[in-house]
């Protein structure tokens, strides 16, 4: 059974930093690209970033580019999101999601999410 | 930037059919995927690649595309289908993932 469990979310001040983690099990971890997707309170889904299975290729939403860094440790089966220069508008539930990248890219498994609150 | 348009809300009586639309320019050139999100829960994939259904998703959920609109159809609606539904495509831009704004389905 595929499981993905996020952690690391909490209250942080504007300008601060946080690192989120997503521990995965139940599949061959290095075979899949992984993503972070966020959802601000009462709002829709917003894609944040993706990292390839080997960890060598990444892509970011314009809203976080230059501030957030996605990475993975395949030996630990863990995905990370380093969040720097946090802004109030980064407040959201952050989900990790596995990418099914056969011929068309979609998110076939999601974690339960971790809440990041940015406020003074 | 590619935009997906969904109606904010759809209301349907139990046992009837709900149709949730997702509009986008030349959407037929993309592969469209749909997610269900119940309150306080993570999204769940309910349709992939326009009309595919993941294991464990009831046959009542189906997807289609015609013209510039993709549609998620929920047949014989049940109270447990009350949720937000999002469409999604992946394009070739630097911001490749596009979600629709979401549609809240209310079962009357």
């Amino acid at each position: 059974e595929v499981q993905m469990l996020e952690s690391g979310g909490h209250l942080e001040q504007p300008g601060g930093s946080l690192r989120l983690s997503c521990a995965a099990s139940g599949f061959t971890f290095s075979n899949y690209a992984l993503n972070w997707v966020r959802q601000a309170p009462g709002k829709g889904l917003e894609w944040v970033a993706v990292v390839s299975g080997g960890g060598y290729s990444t892509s970011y939403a314009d809203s976080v580019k230059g501030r957030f860094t996605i990475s993975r440790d395949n030996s630990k089966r863990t995905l990370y999101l380093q969040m720097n220069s946090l802004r109030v508008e980064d407040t959201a539930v952050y989900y990790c999601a596995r990418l099914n990248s056969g011929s068309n890219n979609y998110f076939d498994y999601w974690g339960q999410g971790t809440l990041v609150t940015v406020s003074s | 930037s590619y935009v997906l348009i969904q109606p904010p809300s759809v209301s349907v009586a139990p046992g009837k059919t709900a149709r949730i639309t997702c509009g986008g320019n030349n959407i037929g050139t993309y592969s469209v995927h749909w997610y269900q999100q119940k309150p306080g829960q993570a999204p769940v994939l309910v349709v992939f690649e326009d009309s595919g259904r993941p294991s464990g998703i009831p046959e009542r959920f189906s997807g289609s595309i015609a013209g510039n609109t993709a549609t998620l159809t929920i047949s014989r609606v049940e109270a447990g289908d009350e949720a937000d539904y999002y469409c999604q495509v992946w394009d070739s831009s630097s911001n490749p993932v596009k979600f629709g704004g979401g549609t809240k389905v209310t079962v009357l």
Side-chain angles (χ1 to χ4, degrees), chain A residues 35 37 39 43-47 50 59-63 65 95 99 103-108 110-112, chain B residues 30-31 33 35 37 40-45 48-49 84 86 88-90 93-97 99-101:
Chain A
N35 297 254
V37 177
Q39 186 171 36
K43 302 297 185 181
L45 301 173
E46 180 189 16
W47 173 78
V50 60
S59 184
Y60 298 90
D62 289 342
S63 57
K65 200 171 295 184
Y95 298 99
L99 187 69
S103 55
N104 297 291
N105 295 322
Y106 54 90
F107 307 108
D108 57 0
W110 300 64
Q112 284 304 301
Chain B
Y30 297 91
S31 187
H33 320 293
Y35 304 88
Q37 186 180 33
Q41 297 185 19
V44 172
L45 179 71
F48 65 94
E49 297 178 349
D84 295 324
Y86 296 89
Q88 176 250 318
V89 302
W90 186 290
S93 70
S94 59
N95 266 10
V97 182
F99 286 105

Side-chain angles (χ1 to χ4, degrees), chain A residues 53-119:
Chain A
Y56 302 111
S57 178
T58 59
S59 184
Y60 298 90
D62 289 342
S63 57
V64 306
K65 200 171 295 184
R67 300 187 300 121
F68 290 9
T69 302
I70 189 171
S71 64
R72 61 193 295 163
D73 185 333
N74 286 349
S75 67
K76 295 182 178 179
R77 304 177 59 85
T78 303
L79 172 72
Y80 302 102
L81 185 68
Q82 178 66 43
M83 310 165 66
N84 298 331
S85 303
L86 283 164
R87 304 169 179 169
V88 171
E89 55 266 35
D90 294 321
T91 295
V93 174
Y94 285 73
Y95 298 99
C96 58
R98 192 179 84 166
L99 187 69
N100 187 307
S101 54
S103 55
N104 297 291
N105 295 322
Y106 54 90
F107 307 108
D108 57 0
Y109 289 96
W110 300 64
Q112 284 304 301
T114 187
L115 176 62
V116 172
T117 303
V118 184
S119 174

Side-chain angles (χ1 to χ4, degrees), chain B residues 9-107:
Chain B
S9 63
V10 166
S11 298
V12 58
K16 300 299 186 182
T17 297
R19 293 180 179 85
I20 305 155
T21 58
C22 175
N25 190 33
N26 291 322
I27 197 171
T29 64
Y30 297 91
S31 187
V32 181
H33 320 293
W34 291 91
Y35 304 88
Q36 175 195 67
Q37 186 180 33
K38 296 182 179 180
Q41 297 185 19
V44 172
L45 179 71
V46 292
V47 166
F48 65 94
E49 297 178 349
D50 302 340
S51 58
R53 196 168 42 248
S55 174
I57 300 302
E59 292 182 4
R60 301 184 298 104
F61 289 82
S62 62
S64 61
I65 286 188
N68 282 328
T69 302
T71 301
L72 174 68
T73 301
I74 311 172
S75 304
R76 302 180 300 283
V77 166
E78 303 174 356
D81 298 331
E82 199 162 87
D84 295 324
Y85 293 83
Y86 296 89
C87 58
Q88 176 250 318
V89 302
W90 186 290
D91 69 17
S92 58
S93 70
S94 59
N95 266 10
V97 182
K98 304 298 189 298
F99 286 105
T103 298
K104 181 177 182 60
V105 169
T106 299
V107 181

Side-chain angles (χ1 to χ4, degrees), chain A residues 20-55:
Chain A
L20 306 183
S21 299
C22 171
S25 62
F27 62 98
T28 304
F29 188 76
S30 59
N31 283 0
Y32 289 87
L34 297 173
N35 297 254
W36 289 99
V37 177
R38 69 184 181 182
Q39 186 171 36
K43 302 297 185 181
L45 301 173
E46 180 189 16
W47 173 78
V48 173
V50 60
V51 61
S52 62

